[in-house]
Amino acid sequence: MHMGDPHLAALHTVFTAEGRSGEPAVESSIDGDVRNIGVARYREVADRNLTGWKNGTQPESAVWLRCRAVESDIAVALSARTVASCGSERHGEHGAGPGRSRSRSIGR
């Protein structure tokens, strides 16, 4: 979470290839079909929290999801961008661009 903007968060993930060669494939998505299953205390309540999904992709490796909370009818919007870098590109410059990454959004 960003301390100056509570609506901004980032995830930094490092992949280390051990005993293999070739380029890794990374796929990003936002899944709006969140359900409360597998927890005993939630079995008596509705298992779907979000409704009215609209989703898609944008240039620059971005995915987005727009929906509403079932109970409160509050609008929810999320977007995510995946940027890949390697070696000397790790500090600010990156090699992501058309054809180098793939993102998709999921909404059922």
Side-chain angles (χ1 to χ4, degrees):
M1 298 302 294
H2 189 282
M3 296 303 287
D5 185 348
H7 301 289
L8 179 64
L11 173 67
H12 177 106
T13 304
V14 176
F15 298 96
T16 303
E18 295 180 1
R20 68 163 296 216
S21 61
E23 292 187 12
V26 176
E27 183 173 301
S28 299
S29 65
I30 300 174
D31 187 351
D33 193 16
V34 179
R35 294 178 182 227
N36 292 327
I37 57 174
V39 178
R41 70 176 179 240
Y42 294 136
R43 289 197 180 118
E44 299 301 318
V45 298
D47 67 346
R48 281 212 162 146
N49 295 314
L50 304 173
T51 189
W53 303 293
K54 294 184 190 226
N55 56 6
T57 60
Q58 296 292 320
E60 304 298 324
S61 306
V63 295
W64 59 268
L65 171 70
R66 199 172 57 214
C67 56
R68 300 193 78 75
V70 171
E71 291 293 319
S72 65
D73 200 36
I74 293 174
V76 178
L78 302 167
S79 66
R81 181 177 58 149
T82 301
V83 176
S85 61
C86 180
S88 62
E89 299 174 339
R90 290 173 48 192
H91 301 288
E93 298 296 319
H94 59 80
R100 296 203 54 193
S101 59
R102 184 175 88 199
S103 297
R104 68 188 177 107
S105 61
I106 300 172
R108 295 179 181 91

